[in-house]
Amino acid sequence: MAARRASIPTAGVGELTATAAVGELTRLVWGGLLLAAPGRVLRAMGGHPGSTPSAILRVLGVRHLVQAAVLLRWPTPEAFRLGAVADGLHALTAVALIADRRRRRLAVTDAAIATGWTVHDGVAASRAGARGRR
C-alpha cells in the first residue's frame, strides 16, 4: 500500500502539498521580516546599514509576500515554475555582487537563500505536476 501525501485543497486549481505550504508560509514570514525590519535583517545577514538601502529590502519583502500569497492560492506547476524563475534570477544577481568585497558576505548569504527558494519552487512544481497527472 502506497503512502498518501498530505495535501491541502485550494481554490479549485489543485492541491498544495504540506511541504509546499510550509515553504510558502515560511516565505510569508521572511517577506514580512524584510518589510518590517530591513535594518535588522541586513545586520543579521552580515550587511552594514547604509550599504544596502532599506527600500530595496522592503521591495524584496513585498515581492516575497505577493509570491507566497499567489502560490498558496494557486499552487499550479506553472505558478511554481514562475516563482522558481524569479528566485533564480534573484540568486544570479546576488552572485554578481560577490565581486564587491564590501558586500561579499551579504551577497553570499542572499544567493544561498534565493537558491533555496529556487529549489523549493522547482520541487513544488514537479510535485504539483505529478499530482495533476494522476
Side-chain angles (χ1 to χ4, degrees):
M1 179 184 269
R4 184 167 175 206
R5 291 184 194 196
S7 62
I8 301 165
T10 58
V13 295
E15 293 178 342
L16 182 66
T17 66
T19 303
V22 168
E24 294 312 317
L25 292 172
T26 302
R27 185 190 299 271
L28 280 173
V29 171
W30 179 242
L33 285 171
L34 290 171
L35 186 60
R40 286 184 177 176
V41 172
L42 183 64
R43 282 188 295 281
M45 291 176 61
H48 304 287
S51 65
T52 302
S54 292
I56 291 173
L57 294 178
R58 285 191 172 109
V59 168
L60 180 59
V62 169
R63 195 241 330 151
H64 279 297
L65 291 172
V66 169
Q67 186 173 341
V70 168
L71 293 174
L72 286 167
R73 179 85 164 105
W74 295 286
T76 65
E78 296 80 14
F80 278 109
R81 280 189 209 102
L82 285 173
V85 168
D87 291 319
L89 290 172
H90 179 155
L92 288 173
T93 59
V95 167
L97 290 175
I98 291 173
D100 182 349
R101 294 180 74 134
R102 295 172 298 150
R103 295 183 182 175
R104 185 166 293 150
R105 182 174 172 201
L106 177 62
V108 168
T109 304
D110 191 37
I113 292 169
T115 299
W117 289 123
T118 303
V119 170
H120 162 76
D121 286 348
V123 169
S126 67
R127 288 185 178 164
R131 286 184 167 285
R133 290 189 293 269
R134 286 187 197 167

